[in-house]
Amino acid sequence: PFCHILMSFTSVCLLIDCIIYKHYFNRLCLEKILLQCILQSRTLSGADAINALRPFYFAVHPDFFGQHPKEREVNENSLKRLNGYLENLQKPGFRSFKPTQLTFYVREREPNSSNVQESFSASGFRAVSFTLHTRDLLSTVLDILNSCSLSTEHIQSLNVNSQSHKESKSTVNRPIKWDKTYYSFTGFKDPEEELEQAQRVETTLISWLDDNEASAVKKLKKSLPLRKELERLKFELSHQLQLSDIRWQRSWGIAHRCSQLHSLGRLVQQRPEVLKNVKGRTVVFTDRSGMSAAGHIMLGTMDVHHHWTKIFERLPNYYKLQKRLLFLEDRISQLLGGIQVIYIEELQPLLTLEEYYETLDSFYNKLRDSRLPFHPRSLRGLQMILESDRYAPSLHEFGHFTIPTVCDPATLQWFIFAKAQEARHNLKRKEEMMITEKELIDTSTEKFSLDRLYKEPSVSSAQMIDCCKRLLEESLPYLQGMHLCISHFYSVLQDGDLCIPWNWK
């Protein structure tokens, strides 16, 4: 009996050893498979990622939003952050795991359109927000495309092994879960728990300032000499040329702006005679050279002095065209009961004087032929802007009418009459909001000892007012001496400016 018991005990021990060995072997195999899948998912190169994201870039690229400055700026800022995220993923030894929330305006497509140029609906675009928390290029690319409802079929044709990707996808998605004791014993991090924790933690203003104040202060201190140099150059050139102002269309860095002013200064020294006609004007550094619809002198940052010189030489002709443009605006106003035709830089695309004149001329000819029965001066005090990319008139929250150049005259007449009273109310409300906004900006600047408080053009006055009111309820010593920009996302700019979303939490 003792021998039987001993043999049974030995058998049980052997059986246990076999089970343990089998479990260990299976675990090693599974870990090997998972590791192989992860390595395969990382085989997507940076060039492959760019190719895979072409449909996405085509749908969100800022150049396609020229008629929508607000959406263009949001996409520009989001693309900068996305590119930084993709660059970090390609760095050796990258271990950071900070979820990044992005917002894009995605151009809409007609469901059955085969022509790429005509496949976008009249509505134009839709807003899409998503959070990136992946650690490899392939998963990130797939998340971006899926979030924007774009096809991912073309990814199979890239240099990544399509079969490996399919196996990787099917393997990773299998419901295999290690027991929590495995992570406790090995010290490895539970990826599911880590992901859940990252999703639960929502960025707050206080936590973000805690993490980024030191970096912002360091960048700001480094930029201070350049900021002083920029102010000096701007003052000297404005005084020397008797300019009304010097502006920039985009939020270029301080060093970039100084470089542009140095270039203008060299032109002043070399060809002072060509700048005799700029007195009282505003110079805007932008993407192209010419004169804007608002009458500002545009200097393209990619153009050389030769192009700038031509613009300054053509100024007398530009001034003549501007007079004709003002006459057209006055004629349109008379035909529409005294409503004022205006051009708002912050809300309209940056048009050249020639482009805007053609728009006004086309609209004027249509009105003149239709002979609408507006009573003279019946709409005096109201405002309207013209846009060429819309099909239906609308009333802006600030009280001005947005009128498409292709609008049917009868529809235009009915819409203006129906909305005239609301428009006057909105105009009055706009004046009140502008006063309130300025007061809140001044109060916030003083309370937090800010060096500067400003907003991006895409942030409305209502959003700025809401943001400042909530800021004034907080105690934020971090902001002393800082440059604070109210935007749609969190960011530290290259010169130390702090960007926070207007709807911060």
Side-chain angles (χ1 to χ4, degrees), residues 211-428:
D211 294 337
N212 294 275
E213 180 202 10
S215 171
V217 170
K218 182 178 179 181
K219 291 180 178 180
L220 181 61
K221 286 182 178 179
K222 186 178 179 181
S223 72
L224 288 179
L226 278 176
R227 290 180 187 272
K228 292 180 180 179
E229 174 72 0
L230 179 66
E231 290 300 317
R232 182 188 68 80
L233 290 170
K234 184 177 177 180
F235 174 79
E236 289 181 358
L237 284 171
S238 297
H239 180 73
Q240 184 177 359
L241 301 176
Q242 300 184 52
L243 296 173
S244 174
D245 194 10
I246 298 177
R247 302 178 189 170
W248 286 264
Q249 179 195 5
R250 301 184 184 279
S251 53
W252 284 300
I254 305 297
H256 196 172
R257 297 188 181 197
C258 286
S259 175
Q260 292 159 0
L261 291 182
H262 278 300
S263 294
L264 180 58
R266 285 194 295 270
L267 181 59
V268 173
Q269 294 176 355
Q270 297 168 5
R271 299 290 304 276
E273 71 280 0
V274 302
L275 293 128
K276 59 184 179 181
N277 295 314
V278 301
K279 182 179 178 180
R281 294 284 170 169
T282 294
V283 170
V284 181
F285 290 97
T286 180
D287 294 331
R288 52 180 175 166
S289 298
M291 178 167 279
S292 72
H296 302 325
I297 301 169
M298 301 190 302
L299 300 181
T301 56
M302 300 301 292
D303 293 339
V304 295
H305 285 180
H306 175 68
H307 296 96
W308 289 4
T309 300
K310 283 187 174 181
I311 297 301
F312 289 122
E313 290 174 344
R314 292 175 187 164
L315 285 181
N317 292 329
Y318 279 126
Y319 296 156
K320 291 178 182 178
L321 181 60
Q322 189 179 24
K323 289 182 179 179
R324 292 167 57 192
L325 184 147
L326 293 174
F327 174 78
L328 264 181
E329 288 182 340
D330 185 60
R331 294 295 297 160
I332 292 173
S333 175
Q334 291 178 15
L335 292 174
L336 293 179
I339 190 172
Q340 182 184 7
V341 182
I342 61 174
Y343 177 83
I344 305 177
E345 290 181 280
E346 294 80 8
L347 300 178
Q348 293 182 258
L350 188 64
L351 299 176
T352 64
L353 198 66
E354 299 92 333
E355 292 170 342
Y356 190 49
Y357 180 84
E358 290 179 4
T359 300
L360 287 173
D361 187 52
S362 173
F363 186 72
Y364 169 69
N365 291 330
K366 179 182 291 188
L367 283 179
R368 184 186 57 187
D369 296 339
S370 65
R371 299 183 181 276
L372 292 176
F374 280 97
H375 189 278
R377 296 184 297 278
S378 61
L379 300 177
R380 195 171 182 179
L382 298 181
Q383 299 174 340
M384 60 169 279
I385 65 174
L386 282 174
E387 288 200 3
S388 57
D389 66 332
R390 294 178 180 267
Y391 295 92
S394 62
L395 177 62
H396 195 271
E397 63 176 347
F398 281 171
H400 62 264
F401 290 95
T402 301
I403 307 300
T405 54
V406 297
C407 184
D408 175 65
T411 303
L412 171 63
Q413 180 187 15
W414 175 86
F415 185 82
I416 292 180
F417 279 149
K419 297 287 185 177
Q421 185 175 357
E422 184 181 350
R424 296 185 189 279
H425 173 75
N426 287 0
L427 281 171
K428 184 178 180 181

Side-chain angles (χ1 to χ4, degrees), residues 138-200:
L138 182 56
S139 299
T140 302
V141 168
L142 291 173
D143 277 358
I144 294 170
L145 295 175
N146 289 327
S147 298
C148 297
S149 301
L150 298 172
S151 174
T152 59
E153 294 179 1
H154 62 286
I155 295 181
Q156 301 294 340
S157 62
L158 297 175
N159 294 331
V160 181
N161 187 307
S162 60
Q163 185 63 31
S164 298
H165 171 60
K166 290 178 181 179
E167 293 175 359
S168 169
K169 187 174 180 181
S170 61
T171 305
V172 171
N173 289 338
R174 285 174 59 190
I176 300 175
K177 295 184 179 180
W178 295 107
D179 190 272
K180 299 297 181 182
T181 55
Y182 166 73
Y183 298 105
S184 301
F185 179 76
T186 61
F188 296 148
K189 293 183 178 180
D190 185 348
E192 290 187 358
E193 183 179 337
E194 194 175 20
L195 178 58
E196 290 175 1
Q197 183 179 0
Q199 292 174 337
R200 283 196 305 267

